[in-house]
Amino acid sequence: MKTSLDRLLHARTGPMTSAMVLRPADFGLGRVPARLNPAATTRSICGFCSTGCALQIHLNDLGEAINLSADPTYPINLGMACPKGWEALAPLAAPDRATAPLLRNTATGALAPVSWERALAALTSNFKRIQQEAGPHAVAVLSTGQIVTEEMALLGALAKFGMGLLHVDSNTRQCMATSHVAYKQSFGFDAPPFTYADFEESDALIFIGANPCIAHPIMWQRVMMNRRNPDIVIIDPRATETAQAATLHVSLRPKSDLTLLYGLAHLLVIRGTIKRDFIAAHTSGFEEFSAFVREFTPAHVSAETGVPVATLERLAEIIGTRERVSLWWTMGVNQSHEATRTAQAIINLALMTGNIGRPGTGANSITGQCNAMGSRLFGNATSLLGGYDFSNAEHRSKVAGIIGLPPSVIPERTGYAYDQILDAIDRGEIRGLWVIATNTAHSWINQSRAREIFGKLDFLVVQDMYTTTETAKMADLVLPAAGWGEKEGTLINSERRLGVVKKVVRAPGQALSDFAIFRLVADAWGCGEFFQAWRSPEAAFQILKDLSRGQPCDFSGIRDYAQIDGAGGIQWPFPESIRSRSDLGENRERRLFSNGKFFTPDTRARFFFDPPRPMAEPPNKDYPFLLMTGRGSSAQWHTGSRTDKSAVLRKLAPTVLTVEIHPDDAAELSIAPGDNVTIRSRRGHAKAVAVVTSTVQRRQIFLPMHFAAVNRLTFASFDPHSRQPGYKACAVAVSRA
Ligand SMILES: Nc1nc2c(c(=O)[nH]1)N[C@H]1C(S)=C(S)[C@@H](COP(=O)(O)OP(=O)(O)OC[C@H]3O[C@@H](n4cnc5c(=O)[nH]c(N)nc54)[C@H](O)[C@@H]3O)O[C@H]1N2
Ligand SMILES: Nc1nc2c(c(=O)[nH]1)N[C@H]1C(S)=C(S)[C@@H](COP(=O)(O)OP(=O)(O)OC[C@H]3O[C@@H](n4cnc5c(=O)[nH]c(N)nc54)[C@H](O)[C@@H]3O)O[C@H]1N2
Ligand code: SF4
Ligand SMILES: [Mo]
């Protein structure tokens, strides 16, 4: 009898098997179940941002959604939701939904509807042909932080263990790669330590490169519920909505955060407001760090950052003297040329002041997408499923044992990062690409090059809810995906809380859940028998539990979806030992490191640091402005594929690209409010309408990322440790159009 490895290898190279192939009908396509959902109202977690608000979905007699409201009983949002949450059902009914697989006709060059059978055959035959011609790793995957964890894990396992691919990455690289690496190095595991109660329990909240009023509005509501009269500090070059609502806005020079944070560390040492006992008992590397920061004198730091010495002193006083200090960061930190060390400089501040493991403290990275945390743990990209290491033989055999595969199918190294995948396509090394739930041709940095590179692919598969995204339009094959609300599974939010999303709407036409599509691909590929245990998302969830057992992210104590739902979400860790404590309420909030023990081999957290480096493309005479990009409004989500489909959300945000420019610069360039402006970088140009405002500093402009033209301007620079792109700094010229 053939071993399972032989069979798997045969599946990778041999022809399609048809004996036991699943059919779309096996996933309910074409069948109308009596009721989608048994209740009259059911709870589901919002599928936009990482806050993880619960929505109550109101259902008709068929169990289908007719409306929704914010869930007043859920411990996160307490009856609140932002405009995207309230409008979450609208994008599902858009006319440009993908309702059938589309295959590019080689004769006419147009995309035309085909059956699922035809589509699956096209995917497998083209990808297998490319693998035969150019090697198994000539096909790559770009995935997402916006599908349920069960889907991410199935895709990761299928791609790497079933199809024999190596290069699998996702848009989480654009977003959370920095936090992942920073935590892993400093704490020994990618583990954001906080719980949302910390927003309410802090005496001081320091936000670095974060604009929660726009990007995480319900988290900001939690900050507003703080009754401790907290200092709220925003460190951001722009006077954002959040900065204007803060008690102190530190308007630093862009990309000078690392210098600022080292300067604060130095001031804390001088002032003697560090926690020597905590440092000695629970950390390593502090002496070297404290010697290193000695040169970051207030005068030097002030000159480099543009922050007055008095403000530095005030900040040091707040951090050094308030009892509970929490530090929060997002993309202003993660998207930079020295992002990982900047994140770790924040972690260092928390460690040296003992602000970790207690209520209202922590070095806290807020995630972005609804399931960014799920993709960090189960995307099978940077870490092996469940946060393990590809390079560790013991880890490989443990994971293989749980999934029921021979360990030899697990690669011994991580594959290329997102940018390296694109470079490999450019070189002709990668010729097939499968893109799932991300819109690369809009969101990737430096688009002119990215699109040219996509043009070099032999076969591009795009699996999306819509046929009209910039990326879907370039595809050779479009696979129609069900979206949020049309399928089930779990999401993991910023505070490590698992929540359940429900199927409350029937997907249009032939669209199938990503889970079903991955199962169908596995079968068509010939490796379906290895994923038999992944019968449904909830069956897959049981496998994820087993993978998490004994890891810092252990949630093996969770019984099933119903328990998660009934408990108001469950944070990891939730090992089996917790299960015996009957009262879940007692364990409703979980923060990490209350015992001072970290996940490193010696249980000590580590100080990491490096000298600051200049930004990659500073402004000069020809390109005198610095361009920053980010979120424009609470009604707009990324590339707009979903939010642009809601008439309500369209009314809440500008429908044309606007540029924020300082009044003095505008006067100098004879630009009046509402004028058309041209913005040029070395790579491309964009047209925008001027918003003249002193929220930006002189010689700096801001563009919201929601318009495709923006990434035609950006400069592709990367943090060396996380390979996250630096979207927030490049040189541009501005003129009246
Ligand atoms: N409405 C809405 N909400 C969202 C999203 C969305 O698309 N729309 N996306 C979600 C996702 S995936 C993410 S990752 C989060 C992102 O959430 P945030 O990170 O809060 O949003 P951004 O606007 O990208 O960037 C935050 C701030 O960084 C500042 N910044 C730029 N350069 C620097 C710098 O050098 N130093 C400092 N200190 N700050 C700097 C910018 O001025 C900006 O105000 O939002 C999530 N929430
Ligand atoms: N200039 C600039 N660029 C940026 C940023 C920035 O700050 N500035 N931020 C970066 C960050 S942090 C992020 S996270 C990225 C986001 O960039 P993207 O991931 O490219 O943005 P989205 O618009 O969220 O794309 C998600 C896609 O998935 C589809 N989709 C939604 N749900 C499902 C589903 O369930 N299944 C399937 N198959 N498809 C689905 C949507 O239709 C959409 O096409 O952008 C990055 N790009
Ligand atoms: S804050 Fe985030 S999770 Fe909450 S409703 Fe808005 S988009 Fe959804
Ligand atoms: Mo993100």
Side-chain angles (χ1 to χ4, degrees):
M1 206 187 101
K2 280 188 166 182
T3 65
S4 54
L5 178 60
D6 287 338
R7 288 205 305 274
L8 192 53
L9 293 178
H10 180 74
R12 284 180 184 175
T13 52
M16 267 179 65
T17 52
S18 58
M20 37 164 289
V21 168
L22 289 168
R23 312 249 163 241
D26 295 327
F27 296 95
L29 199 70
R31 256 188 286 128
V32 182
R35 251 190 95 85
L36 273 188
N37 228 285
T41 291
T42 192
R43 168 186 279 170
S44 194
I45 303 303
C46 177
F48 284 103
C49 91
S50 61
T51 307
C53 299
L55 304 169
Q56 284 187 342
I57 319 279
H58 311 293
L59 310 167
N60 66 12
D61 291 346
L62 297 171
E64 297 166 330
I66 43 174
N67 209 337
L68 62 78
S69 53
D71 191 334
T73 62
Y74 206 65
I76 290 175
N77 52 315
L78 314 166
M80 300 176 282
C82 86
K84 295 183 298 301
W86 284 104
E87 276 298 286
L89 292 168
L92 300 178
D96 60 342
R97 284 296 300 272
T99 54
L102 302 175
L103 185 62
R104 196 166 294 282
N105 183 311
T106 36
T108 65
L111 284 167
V114 292
S115 67
W116 267 109
E117 285 72 14
R118 187 79 203 284
L120 293 164
L123 182 148
T124 49
S125 61
N126 278 289
F127 282 171
K128 285 193 178 197
R129 171 182 56 76
I130 291 168
Q131 285 184 312
Q132 260 148 23
E133 288 168 9
H137 304 158
V139 174
V141 172
L142 290 175
S143 155
T144 188
Q146 296 179 57
I147 55 179
V148 295
T149 316
E150 294 79 353
E151 294 174 338
M152 288 169 177
L154 176 55
L155 171 64
L158 165 65
K160 287 201 173 170
F161 314 153
M163 298 165 76
L165 313 184
L166 177 64
H167 307 305
V168 174
D169 204 13
S170 77
N171 63 5
T172 306
R173 183 74 59 178
Q174 295 160 297
C175 185
M176 301 314 306
T178 293
S179 302
H180 179 88
V181 180
Y183 278 140
K184 203 163 172 178
Q185 290 182 343
S186 297
F187 293 165
F189 195 80
D190 177 12
F194 61 98
T195 182
Y196 292 162
D198 293 321
F199 287 125
E200 286 150 41
E201 295 181 9
S202 298
D203 297 321
L205 299 103
I206 321 284
F207 289 90
I208 305 131
N211 189 9
C213 281
I214 296 297
H216 298 97
I218 303 305
M219 290 193 203
W220 184 251
Q221 293 305 316
R222 297 291 297 269
V223 176
M224 292 294 96
M225 289 180 184
N226 186 311
R227 293 282 168 269
R228 302 174 67 90
N229 190 24
D231 287 295
I232 304 174
V233 180
I234 303 295
I235 303 179
D236 193 313
R238 297 190 303 135
T240 59
E241 297 78 355
T242 318
Q244 292 174 38
T247 57
L248 176 64
H249 174 209
V250 179
S251 179
L252 82 175
R253 226 165 257 151
K255 302 293 151 290
S256 65
D257 301 70
L258 195 53
T259 302
L260 175 78
L261 295 162
Y262 289 155
L264 292 174
H266 176 59
L267 272 174
L268 289 163
V269 175
I270 300 179
R271 290 165 157 257
T273 48
I274 57 174
K275 292 277 184 313
R276 293 255 172 221
D277 292 352
F278 183 90
I279 294 168
H282 303 299
T283 72
S284 61
F286 177 70
E287 291 316 320
E288 294 85 339
F289 178 62
S290 123
F292 166 80
V293 295
R294 224 171 277 151
E295 67 186 75
F296 292 85
T297 60
H300 167 70
V301 171
S302 177
E304 291 290 314
T305 62
V307 177
V309 172
T311 308
L312 297 175
E313 295 279 359
R314 173 86 190 102
L315 247 176
E317 185 186 320
I318 291 171
I319 298 172
T321 61
R322 303 277 335 229
E323 176 64 25
R324 301 166 169 193
V325 179
S326 54
L327 301 129
W328 309 83
W329 81 87
T330 52
M331 293 309 115
V333 169
N334 279 9
Q335 296 173 342
S336 134
H337 65 291
E338 51 193 8
T340 302
R341 292 295 177 252
T342 307
Q344 287 169 328
I346 298 170
I347 293 173
N348 295 350
L349 285 181
L351 292 175
M352 65 197 284
T353 55
N355 274 302
I356 194 135
R358 292 182 290 118
T361 66
N364 305 331
S365 159
I366 301 172
T367 51
Q369 307 171 77
C370 56
N371 204 18
M373 198 64 230
S375 84
R376 280 151 74 171
L377 289 175
F378 288 102
N380 214 22
T382 321
S383 294
L384 179 55
L385 294 175
Y388 292 94
D389 288 328
F390 283 100
S391 58
N392 183 319
E394 239 172 81
H395 288 187
R396 290 196 303 275
S397 65
K398 185 175 171 194
V399 168
I402 292 166
I403 306 186
L405 287 172
S408 53
V409 303
I410 301 187
E412 294 176 15
R413 58 191 165 110
T414 54
Y416 290 154
Y418 205 132
D419 67 301
Q420 296 164 326
I421 290 177
L422 293 190
D423 284 348
I425 298 171
D426 198 21
R427 289 195 299 273
E429 181 187 322
I430 291 177
R431 288 165 40 189
L433 185 68
W434 185 8
V435 176
I436 297 118
T438 189
N439 189 3
T440 305
H442 173 142
S443 62
W444 187 248
I445 200 159
N446 185 7
Q447 273 306 315
S448 47
R449 178 149 182 275
R451 284 175 170 236
E452 187 190 309
I453 289 174
F454 262 34
K456 294 189 177 181
L457 284 165
D458 246 16
F459 201 68
L460 171 64
V461 179
V462 175
Q463 183 167 321
D464 203 286
M465 293 168 65
Y466 304 99
T467 57
T468 52
T469 70
E470 288 84 355
T471 315
K473 285 191 206 151
M474 300 181 77
D476 298 297
L477 176 66
V478 177
L479 299 180
W484 173 90
E486 296 167 344
K487 55 181 180 178
E488 59 173 9
T490 54
L491 306 173
I492 310 180
N493 80 350
S494 270
E495 48 159 12
R496 312 177 316 283
R497 187 181 297 266
L498 285 82
V500 183
V501 296
K502 309 263 177 67
K503 179 169 176 172
V504 290
V505 175
R506 284 173 226 282
Q510 304 270 309
L512 285 169
S513 72
D514 294 288
F515 194 88
I517 298 173
F518 300 145
R519 283 294 318 267
L520 289 169
V521 170
D523 259 35
W525 194 271
C527 58
E529 64 179 295
F530 299 98
F531 299 99
Q532 290 299 309
W534 305 64
R535 284 180 312 281
S536 64
E538 192 150 14
F541 181 73
Q542 298 302 326
I543 301 173
L544 304 188
K545 277 168 52 177
D546 291 340
L547 286 165
S548 77
R549 187 174 288 112
Q551 286 287 81
C553 62
D554 193 337
F555 53 82
S556 58
I558 299 177
R559 208 173 39 244
D560 52 17
Y561 287 176
Q563 187 194 14
I564 300 176
D565 220 25
I570 297 179
Q571 283 170 288
W572 63 257
F574 195 84
E576 273 148 321
S577 53
I578 287 190
R579 207 192 236 179
S580 57
R581 290 199 231 163
S582 54
D583 183 11
L584 227 179
E586 173 194 334
N587 298 297
R588 229 167 135 118
E589 297 283 350
R590 246 169 293 275
R591 73 174 57 74
L592 303 179
F593 312 131
S594 52
N595 58 1
K597 294 210 185 318
F598 295 87
F599 300 122
T600 50
D602 63 2
T603 77
R604 288 167 177 275
R606 287 185 179 28
F607 284 86
F608 280 87
F609 50 92
D610 268 327
R613 290 179 291 118
M615 67 174 83
E617 195 192 48
N620 66 5
K621 194 164 57 49
D622 297 329
Y623 298 94
F625 284 81
L626 187 84
L627 167 65
M628 287 181 290
T629 66
R631 275 75 201 156
S633 78
S634 67
Q636 291 165 297
W637 181 256
H638 297 157
T639 74
S641 69
R642 287 194 275 166
T643 44
D644 286 356
K645 308 296 156 52
S646 152
V648 174
L649 296 180
R650 279 199 307 272
K651 285 205 179 76
L652 294 175
T655 50
V656 292
L657 180 62
T658 53
V659 53
E660 289 172 24
I661 182 166
H662 191 277
D664 294 348
D665 289 325
E668 216 173 273
L669 298 167
S670 310
I671 294 170
D675 276 357
N676 287 318
V677 167
T678 304
I679 302 146
R680 284 180 297 111
S681 77
R682 290 183 179 85
R683 296 153 294 281
H685 70 276
K687 295 235 180 309
V689 173
V691 175
V692 178
T693 166
S694 49
T695 53
V696 285
Q697 299 179 30
R698 282 216 67 181
R699 291 285 188 266
Q700 296 171 20
I701 61 168
F702 177 81
L703 289 174
M705 64 164 296
H706 314 293
F707 297 83
V710 173
N711 277 325
R712 274 180 230 145
L713 303 167
T714 45
F715 176 73
S717 69
F718 302 92
D719 173 80
H721 306 285
S722 67
R723 300 220 67 76
Q724 182 160 342
Y727 285 106
K728 288 180 165 40
C730 75
V732 292
V734 181
S735 56
R736 217 171 79 179

